[in-house]
Amino acid sequence: MPPVIDRERCTSCGVCEDICPGDIFKMDDDHPEVHYPEECFHCGACLIDCPEEAVSYRIPLPMLLPVYEKGFFEK
Ligand code: SF4
Ligand code: SF4
C-alpha cells in the first residue's frame, strides 16, 4: 500500500522527500505529495523519520506473513 500523509499533522518539513530511497515523495508548493505510490517498497523510513508521525501505510498481507511466521509477532 502506498504511504498516506495526514495533512492535519504534516508540517511540510520535507524530511520524507529527503529520506525516501525510492523518491516516492515530492514537495509540491511546499507540501509533500505521494508521486509514485506503486514504487514504494515498504522500507518504513518515512514512518520512522517523520517527526510528526504524519505518514502511515498498511503493509500488504503477503509481505507480513513471512515475518509473522518467523515469530516476530506474538502468536
Ligand atoms: S516528514 Fe512528515 S511532517 Fe515532514 S513533510 Fe513529510 S509527512 Fe510532513
Ligand atoms: S516506505 Fe520507504 S520506499 Fe515507501 S515511501 Fe516510505 S521511505 Fe519511501
Side-chain angles (χ1 to χ4, degrees):
M1 299 292 289
V4 177
I5 299 166
D6 182 336
R7 301 285 172 201
E8 299 284 317
R9 288 175 173 260
C10 177
T11 57
S12 301
C13 68
V15 167
C16 53
E17 183 189 47
D18 290 342
I19 56 92
C20 175
D23 288 334
I24 308 300
F25 300 96
K26 294 290 175 203
M27 297 299 281
D28 282 345
D29 294 328
D30 291 334
H31 296 291
E33 298 290 344
V34 179
H35 273 226
Y36 308 106
E38 70 284 354
E39 295 183 18
C40 172
F41 50 91
H42 310 102
C43 70
C46 55
L47 276 75
I48 294 167
D49 288 353
C50 172
E52 307 300 331
E53 299 182 356
V55 184
S56 62
Y57 61 60
R58 282 185 294 168
I59 299 173
L61 189 58
M63 291 181 71
L64 270 179
L65 280 176
V67 177
Y68 180 82
E69 287 169 354
K70 288 190 176 181
F72 288 108
F73 296 112
E74 288 183 26
K75 295 183 180 176

